Structure formats: C-alpha cells, structure tokens
Amino acid sequence: MAMTPVENLEDLYENAPCGYLSLAPDGRIVKANATFSAWIGFSQHELCEKRLHDLLNVAGRIFFETHFAPLLRMQGFFNEVALDFVTNDGSKIPVLANAMERRDDEGGLLFTRITISKAADRRRYERELVDARAAAEAAKRELQALNASLETRIQHAVEERFRMEESLMREREMSELREQFIAILGHDLRNPLASFGGALRMLRRERLTPQGERLLDLLQGSILRMAGLIDNVLDFARGRLGGGIGLNIKSEPLQPVLEQVVGELRAASPDANIEADFAISKPVPCDHVRVGQLASNLLGNALTHGDRNQAIRLQAITEQDEFVLWVGNKGKPIPQIAMKRLFQPFVRGGASGQGLGLGLHIASEIAKAHGGTLTAESSNVETRFTFRMPLARARDEVRTVSQRSR
Amino acid sequence: MSVLHRNNVRITGSGDRPVIFAHGFGCDQNMWRLVHPAFEPRFKVVLFDHVGAGRSDLTAYRSDKYASLSGYAEDLIEIARELELRDVIFVGHSVSAMIGVLASIRAPDVFESMVLVGPSPCYINDGDYVGGFTETEIEELLDSLADNYMGWSAAMAPAIMGNPDRPELAEELTNSFCRTDPDIAKEFARVTFTSDNRADLPKVGARSLILQCRDDVIASEQVGRYVHDRLPQSQMTILNATGHCPNLSAPKEVISAIDGFV
C-alpha cells in the first residue's frame, strides 16, 4: 500500500501553480516564489532588489499607479487585474493578478501580497472580443451608411418617379386637349360649311336666272375649296401636335374616288379644263380619302398656279409594282429656288394670294404615310407633281406607318 | 444644463474660504476621501468629477471640447463662477494640476493659491527635457487601453460588489468604474499624456505649492523641480510617500503640507 504523501507548505509556496509576490509598503519586492522567478527569468535574489514597477511595461506602470494602486488603498484588495510583465529577456507575459494588503493591528501596511496567473489565452480571447466588437461596430456603421444612402437613393427614385408621372400626366392632358381642340376645330368649321352645301343643293332645285346659276357654281367651288383647306389645316394640326396622319387602308377600287374628286373640281371651276386618264389595273391598298385628298390638293394647286387657258392633266396608273398618280399643268415654271421648299408648310407659291401653303405639304405627308414619294418637276413645257407608291411593299409599310401614327 | 449637475459638484465644510479638490486621470473625487474631511471644519470644501469620470453627466461629454485640457479648465472656472467663489485654494492631483494652472491663468481673480500634487507639464521627453516617457511608450499605453478595460473594468465590478464588509465603498467604486466609458477614458488618457503645458507655467500669478512624492513613476522628482523652477511664486515639498497617489497612500502628510501652505 502506498503512503499518502504529506503536503509541504514551503514547497507549496515555492512551486505553486501560480506566482507569488510580496511587496513592502514602498513597492519593493521582499519575497517571490520559485514559480514566478522561473516565469520572469530573474533569480529570487535578483527580484528582491526590484520594485513591482521594474517588472511592468510602461502602460502597466501607468495603469498600476493611476488605477490599481488607488483601488488597493481604498478597499485593501483588487482582483483579476490584467497586467503585462516584462521578462529578463524582454518578452511579455500577460497575467491576471489578485492583490491583498496585509496590515498590522494598528492598521499600518505591512505587505501587499500578489498572486499571479498566466493569462495568455484569456488575453487573446479578450483581444478577439475587442476586435470582434470593433468589427461589429464598423459593420454597424457601414450598415447605417448603407441604409442612409439607400434611403437617399429610394427618395431620389421616388421623386424621379413622381416627376415622370407628373410629366406623363401633363403629356396625357396635353394629348387630350389636342384631340379635343382638333375635334372642335373640325366640327365647328365643317358644320357651317355643311349648311352652306345643303342650302346650295336646295337652291339648285329652284328656278334661277343664268346669273343665279353662275353664282351658285362659284359658291360650290368656294365651299369645296374651303372644305379642302379645313382638311389640310386639321391634318397639319394633327401632324404638328403629334397625332400624325392616320391611315384607313382599304382595297376597294380607287378610281371612283379619284373620278369624284375630278368631278367636284370641274364643277367648282367650270371654266377650267381638266383631263383625267385612269389605268388602274390592280388593287391599290391605300387610304382612299387621303389619296383623294392628295389628288384634290395637287389639282387645286394646278388650278391656282397653272395657265387657266390650257388643260390640266391627271393620270393615275398601276405599273409593275407601283401606283403612280401625277398632275401636270402649263404655265410659268416654278423658280428653281422655290423648288427646294415646295413641300414645307406655309410656303405659298407666286402671286396668287390663295391658300395657306399647306396643300403640297399635306400631299407630301400623305405620300410618305403610304411609304411613297411626291416629287415635282417644273420647266417651260410643264409643271408636274408625281406621287409614287409601292404596291407590294405598301401593305406592310402602310400598316407600320399607320400604327406608328396612331 | 446645470454646471453643478454636469460635474457632480459636492460642497461640504463649515468655513468660508473655499478649497476645490480636483482628481486626476483614473479615478474620481473619491481620490480625496482621506484628505478633504480634515479641511471641513475651517473651509468650504468643493469636490467634483471631471466630465466623463465618476458620476458626472456623461451626455455632456464632447470629444472636440475635451480634446485639450482647456476644455476641462473651462469647466473648473464655470464651477467657481457658478458658486461665486473668490480667493480659491485649488488642490489638483496629477493632470488636474495642469488643468488648475490653465484655469488660474484664464481667471486670475478666482484663484488665490494652488496646490499641485504630482504635477507634470509634459509627460513625453523632448530634447533636454525629461518627461519620463518616450512617445512610443505613450502610444503603447494608449493602445493597451482596450486590453485593460476588458480585464479590469468589466471583471472588477462584480468582485467589488461582492465585498460585504464595506458596501458603501463598493457601491461608490462600482458605479465610478462601471461608468467609465472606455472611449472617454481612452480620450482622457490621450489628452492627459500628450499635453504640453510647459510654456504656460511662467504665466501663473497665484502662489503655489508643489507636493512631490519620492519614487513617482508618473511624475518624477526631476519633473517636479522643473515645475518649481518655472512657476513664479512656488514652493516645493518632497513627501516621504512613494508612488503617484499620496492623497491615498499618505493622506496625513498631504494634509499637513497643505495646512502649512495655507
């Protein structure tokens, strides 16, 4: 049977699993155990010539003096103070120290006893905690900054959205106003004109003097021209205000429409000589009213500017893959300089004070809307306006234009 | 906001002549607990905590104001003006010695005499001047604050609270230490240990007493002599006490030195 070993108090002090230091009231080390001596690298004898300060780094010294020493004086002990000791070879030992004052019966300070435990792992852990806290706080600040910037960005986006909606609303209001304006304009101008026309037809049934008949012819011509002007003004307004020229494509025969236009103009200008020639052998998919308007505008232009004593000619034919309609008149040629601006709005030709200068512009726009062209040639022999419109391509392009313009 | 609340000002004593006690870096007005009672019978004793320390109003702390000792000096003057004190005997420990120097230059009408305990106008060595520390050492100190606050401020409190014999002391200290905001302490340490008030010393008009401990690792005797040489009307007393806090370690010596001076 093994003997139970007897604990040796001297050995317990010297080789305890912690360091022991005893300080005199002036801070000098008066006793240190072997464990501490081994840790710090000074012999016990060497230690007794030092003060606690000498074993601390600068930060530790200042902290000890400003914090731990006052605490020790006030309450007679301190626990779990973190310190760094500096060893004989200059390396650092992080420790936790507990201290207690030993006083005599009269309260005079005899010793300060300090126990020292190594705390490298604990210090590392604390350091990590501090670092983690710093990282968390940095992350928090970053998050706050991000939040702030997000809020600003959202606010900007919302404001932008509001602005866009507002401008969209304004746009819509404008568009509605425009439609109303155009509708009212058309209605208000056309209605009285329709009354004129109705009255004129009723007057035709009356028995009239030849003078009266002539006056009625003049009136009818004026009504027709006025209706054309109104159409042009409305189309121009639509085009300029953003509505575009709308097309209503039909494939019904075009010739009757054109014949009617020619008939109306003949009736309105009885003294003029209009020769019409049709060779439409294929369906022409187009907006009949618009093409009629184009023809009417070209004829009206010829009647206004051409030589009244010579025939005005209109020809409408389908070629291989094109529909071609031209109107020619005799008379003074269009000056070269005017040719360039012929299809711009409000350009009025020569001496006659008639029209707004919209007829050719609208005709040109109608041609474009059909994917075609309107060109002019003018010489001493003839002034001729030619509308060409592709038949094959027409469908697609016309539809596209038509959709875009709606 | 009341200045008296901001600085946790306490007034005791039955005399007329005012003594203001100011604590240094690391503690609060408790630093004077063993000294001020001796003056109560004959003086009006004024104790306070610097903003950021003890039971001061932490919400009054502003990094820009307290980035220099002048901010603390302003507070000291405000306290004296608020209490309408004249011919004040100012007793300042450690960094508060320099705070008092600055205040007395700014408000010479308030301060009649100064007692500077362990003063240092500059802790960092500069050419021939020996402040006691190199710049690197001070940076090391400031860097180490984080470690020490983890091991000390947080861990100390429960131990003190568990001291059943002296509950009043425990509570005071616990409150004081628990309320030491680590960030404020770090800034106070920086302003304390990086200030240089050497040029201000000759401007002081009040008479002054320097109390110097032997073996003070924070403010050496050499630094004390430097202050004594440059303060116009100063005397110096070397105490037998060691360390930086004679107000705690040798209160009787401190009391009799102050008594002899006033």
Side-chain angles (χ1 to χ4, degrees):
Chain A
M1 235 175 82
M3 290 266 289
T4 304
V6 177
E7 180 60 289
N8 177 328
L9 289 186
E10 180 65 23
D11 183 61
L12 171 63
Y13 174 83
E14 289 296 346
N15 297 307
C18 62
Y20 286 125
L21 279 179
S22 299
L23 308 181
D26 64 0
R28 269 184 311 110
I29 295 169
V30 292
K31 196 167 166 65
N33 71 349
T35 305
F36 184 74
S37 167
W39 285 350
I40 201 83
F42 291 108
S43 72
Q44 284 166 286
H45 181 71
E46 282 171 323
L47 282 174
C48 286
E49 290 167 355
K50 295 183 182 297
R51 297 161 305 174
L52 180 67
H53 300 147
D54 302 329
L55 303 177
L56 297 173
N57 66 357
V58 169
R61 239 177 269 169
I62 291 174
F63 266 95
F64 195 87
E65 280 303 312
T66 57
H67 292 83
F68 310 134
L71 194 60
L72 193 59
R73 296 288 171 171
M74 278 199 256
Q75 63 183 14
F77 68 92
F78 66 62
N79 287 336
E80 294 186 60
V81 158
L83 291 172
D84 287 339
F85 280 108
V86 180
T87 67
N88 195 6
D89 65 11
S91 58
K92 259 187 356 186
I93 323 179
V95 304
L96 280 182
N98 291 356
M100 190 175 279
E101 289 182 339
R102 183 76 175 94
R103 293 181 179 268
D104 60 24
D105 294 341
E106 272 125 48
L109 182 62
L110 293 174
F111 303 111
T112 301
R113 289 169 174 164
I114 304 177
T115 59
I116 295 144
S117 314
K118 283 196 178 180
D121 285 345
R122 179 179 160 141
R123 193 69 61 78
R124 204 162 29 241
Y125 172 66
E126 285 170 357
R127 187 73 243 173
E128 277 167 13
L129 273 183
V130 169
D131 289 347
R133 203 181 93 172
E137 267 165 17
K140 189 174 139 197
R141 276 195 298 279
E142 209 170 289
L143 201 66
Q144 279 168 343
L146 188 68
N147 267 342
S149 104
L150 263 182
E151 271 171 26
T152 320
R153 275 155 62 192
I154 288 171
Q155 199 181 333
H156 285 167
V158 167
E159 279 168 10
E160 179 65 17
R161 182 72 192 266
F162 272 130
R163 265 200 297 280
M164 277 174 67
E165 280 187 0
E166 219 168 85
S167 98
L168 215 65
M169 291 275 282
R170 267 204 304 277
E171 176 82 7
R172 194 170 297 154
E173 277 170 22
M174 282 294 291
S175 157
E176 277 167 14
L177 211 67
R178 183 177 60 227
E179 291 299 323
Q180 268 178 359
F181 171 73
I182 291 168
I184 289 168
L185 190 69
H187 184 263
D188 288 5
L189 291 177
R190 274 174 176 146
N191 269 9
L193 204 60
S195 304
F196 284 152
L200 191 129
R201 277 192 301 279
M202 283 163 75
L203 276 175
R204 286 273 187 212
R205 289 186 214 127
E206 303 285 322
R207 182 181 294 277
L208 294 171
T209 60
Q211 170 75 356
E213 291 281 359
R214 218 172 34 250
L215 287 175
L216 280 191
D217 287 345
L218 277 175
L219 261 178
Q220 192 170 0
S222 296
I223 289 170
L224 188 68
R225 222 174 47 243
M226 183 116 185
L229 286 174
I230 290 171
D231 285 346
N232 287 344
V233 167
L234 286 179
D235 285 337
F236 176 74
R238 279 201 194 97
R240 276 296 146 123
L241 296 176
I245 287 184
L247 296 182
N248 180 20
I249 307 295
K250 286 178 179 157
S251 14
E252 285 156 26
L254 181 59
Q255 190 167 331
V257 178
L258 297 176
E259 278 171 348
Q260 193 191 334
V261 168
V262 172
E264 280 172 0
L265 283 159
R266 274 179 184 146
S269 309
D271 51 341
N273 177 17
I274 301 175
E275 294 171 3
D277 180 13
F278 299 102
I280 302 174
S281 55
K282 299 173 187 170
V284 181
C286 65
D287 186 324
H288 290 186
V289 177
R290 290 300 185 189
V291 174
Q293 189 184 358
L294 178 146
S296 174
N297 284 1
L298 293 184
L299 285 173
N301 186 64
L303 284 167
T304 307
H305 299 289
D307 182 351
R308 286 277 182 140
N309 297 320
Q310 299 195 56
I312 292 167
R313 297 197 297 150
L314 177 147
Q315 191 179 58
I317 57 170
T318 47
E319 292 184 343
Q320 186 70 25
D321 50 3
E322 262 187 344
F323 169 68
V324 182
L325 181 152
W326 59 262
V327 172
N329 64 270
K330 309 291 179 188
K332 273 199 276 181
I334 302 169
Q336 199 56 39
I337 196 156
M339 287 291 281
K340 287 180 183 169
R341 306 195 302 129
L342 218 48
F343 299 116
Q344 290 176 13
F346 302 115
V347 172
R348 295 158 66 179
S352 70
Q354 295 179 3
L356 287 170
L358 285 173
L360 289 179
H361 171 68
I362 298 295
S364 161
E365 293 297 305
I366 291 171
K368 280 185 213 161
H370 283 87
T373 57
L374 182 64
T375 55
E377 296 153 296
S378 190
S379 69
N380 286 325
V381 183
E382 190 187 46
T383 293
R384 179 184 289 200
F385 287 88
T386 307
F387 165 52
R388 288 174 182 277
M389 182 192 116
L391 288 177
R393 265 170 36 198
R395 271 176 202 282
D396 298 342
E397 288 214 0
V398 159
R399 194 172 299 129
T400 314
V401 169
S402 151
Q403 277 168 354
R404 197 161 49 217
S405 64
R406 288 277 161 203
Chain B
M1 183 201 47
S2 150
V3 171
L4 303 184
H5 168 72
R6 179 188 68 193
N7 284 96
N8 185 28
V9 176
R10 281 171 51 215
I11 303 148
T12 64
S14 42
D16 289 331
R17 240 185 123 184
V19 188
I20 301 180
F21 288 98
H23 70 86
F25 168 71
C27 199
D28 57 26
Q29 57 184 268
N30 281 301
M31 212 58 172
W32 297 106
R33 59 190 299 115
L34 305 180
V35 174
H36 75 77
F39 294 87
E40 284 174 359
R42 294 166 291 137
F43 295 90
K44 180 183 210 172
V45 173
V46 178
L47 294 156
F48 73 98
D49 294 334
H50 287 302
V51 170
R55 295 177 188 232
S56 65
D57 181 358
L58 294 191
T59 63
Y61 187 84
R62 295 205 324 268
S63 291
D64 54 344
K65 175 177 176 182
Y66 298 109
S68 78
L69 294 182
S70 319
Y72 291 98
E74 270 172 45
D75 286 358
L76 174 57
I77 295 169
E78 278 177 23
I79 292 166
R81 296 247 191 262
E82 177 75 22
L83 297 174
E84 297 178 355
L85 305 179
R86 313 273 305 173
D87 297 331
V88 169
I89 303 159
F90 173 82
V91 184
H93 176 226
S94 193
V95 68
S96 275
M98 283 306 123
I99 291 170
V101 161
L102 293 177
S104 79
I105 294 168
R106 242 179 247 188
D109 54 315
V110 173
F111 299 94
E112 192 265 333
S113 50
M114 323 275 293
V115 178
L116 310 179
V117 184
S120 172
C122 180
Y123 290 96
I124 298 174
N125 302 334
D126 177 24
D128 289 342
Y129 174 81
V130 180
F133 303 94
T134 64
E135 214 167 324
T136 319
E137 286 170 332
I138 293 299
E139 282 307 319
E140 192 186 323
L141 160 77
L142 299 175
D143 286 346
S144 74
L145 270 154
D147 279 341
N148 278 288
Y149 270 95
M150 284 302 295
W152 170 69
S153 170
M156 284 304 281
I160 300 166
M161 269 156 54
N163 180 2
D165 299 336
R166 303 165 75 184
E168 82 294 342
L169 174 62
E171 205 210 341
E172 269 172 18
L173 282 178
T174 303
N175 288 348
S176 168
F177 292 143
C178 288
R179 282 186 189 186
T180 307
D181 180 301
D183 292 331
I184 295 179
K186 222 179 279 186
E187 292 182 11
F188 192 29
R190 180 167 290 280
V191 68
T192 295
F193 289 103
T194 61
S195 287
D196 182 355
N197 298 102
R198 285 176 289 170
D200 295 307
L201 297 177
K203 301 178 196 162
V204 174
R207 65 195 197 95
S208 49
L209 168 68
I210 296 147
L211 292 186
Q212 179 65 49
C213 291
R214 289 182 299 104
D215 206 13
D216 181 345
V217 293
I218 293 186
S220 68
E221 196 173 319
Q222 195 176 354
V223 172
R225 291 207 181 280
Y226 180 94
V227 175
H228 174 42
D229 287 346
R230 285 173 178 63
L231 273 182
Q233 297 179 65
S234 66
Q235 5 177 332
M236 181 166 176
T237 299
I238 309 283
L239 303 173
N240 283 321
T242 57
H244 188 57
C245 301
N247 34 5
L248 285 174
S249 62
K252 283 182 189 146
E253 224 184 336
V254 171
I255 291 165
S256 75
I258 298 176
D259 261 344
F261 176 63
V262 301

